[in-house]
Amino acid sequence: MTNLQRLKLLFISGPNLQLLGMREPAVYGKETLEDIYERAWARALELNADVDGRQTNHEGTIVDWIGESSGFFDGILLNPGAYTHTSIAIHDAIAGAGVPTIEVHLSNIHAREPFRRHSMVAPACVGSIVGFRGEGYVLAVEAMVRHLRSRPKP
Ligand code: DQA
């Protein structure tokens, strides 16, 4: 890790993730999204990065945020919620924006219902972090910072 420029990361959480804390705690844990973003943000600061943490229930808003990210953010951390399994539009936004993106899921989507086992967005992402509940958001920050800092300089 030689490039120590301050990194700007965008964390997007999709539909129903505003309900974390009360939503199916046996699956998603008891932390609120605010708690999780606070931990991810604190870790980012230690790594000389900033995180802008957002949430929306709307697919088009996710598409807009990704499309507007180029030139403003170095990396995107994305939990698309249920749109993971359906959204070609989000896949295309990630591929089109060209901003490195890591897919994050609180639950292990591969160990759940069959309809959750396929991710439409995964092929456009650098990689995925699944199954570590809120800790996955912290791991995603660490993985993205490592990924960005280890890239060869242009
Ligand atoms: C989720 C998994 C999705 O299948 C589900 O629709 C969610 C949350 C996760 O973080 O585990 O809303 O993305």
Side-chain angles (χ1 to χ4, degrees):
M1 295 211 191
T2 48
N3 179 357
L4 289 177
Q5 163 213 341
R6 193 162 187 87
L7 296 171
K8 287 165 75 177
L9 308 180
L10 174 60
F11 218 128
I12 301 174
S13 294
N16 300 310
L17 293 167
Q18 84 282 9
L19 298 176
L20 288 178
M22 55 178 271
R23 178 189 181 199
E24 299 181 83
V27 177
Y28 298 115
K30 290 184 185 162
E31 280 182 294
T32 65
L33 185 59
E34 206 180 339
D35 295 335
I36 295 171
Y37 272 155
E38 203 159 305
R39 285 207 291 129
W41 174 77
R43 182 65 184 128
L45 286 187
E46 291 172 354
L47 298 172
N48 197 28
D50 282 317
V51 178
D52 181 348
R54 305 182 189 172
Q55 189 276 332
T56 178
N57 291 324
H58 304 282
E59 182 179 14
T61 303
I62 297 175
V63 170
D64 286 343
W65 285 344
I66 294 170
E68 292 159 3
S69 63
S70 182
F72 294 97
F73 292 98
D74 299 295
I76 299 173
L77 310 161
L78 174 65
N79 183 349
Y83 295 134
T84 304
H85 317 296
T86 59
S87 183
I88 298 170
I90 295 175
H91 169 282
D92 288 356
I94 298 166
V99 177
T101 299
I102 293 178
E103 176 187 12
V104 188
H105 297 285
L106 299 148
S107 64
N108 180 357
I109 56 172
H110 305 292
R112 299 183 62 194
E113 303 96 321
F115 65 84
R116 292 186 205 277
R117 292 183 196 156
H118 181 72
S119 167
M120 298 295 282
V121 306
C125 293
V126 175
S128 308
I129 294 175
V130 307
F132 294 96
R133 298 203 176 164
E135 191 62 19
Y137 277 46
V138 177
L139 294 172
V141 167
E142 292 176 353
M144 182 56 82
V145 169
R146 252 171 204 266
H147 174 73
L148 294 172
R149 294 214 194 283
S150 63
R151 279 190 312 187
K153 283 187 191 164

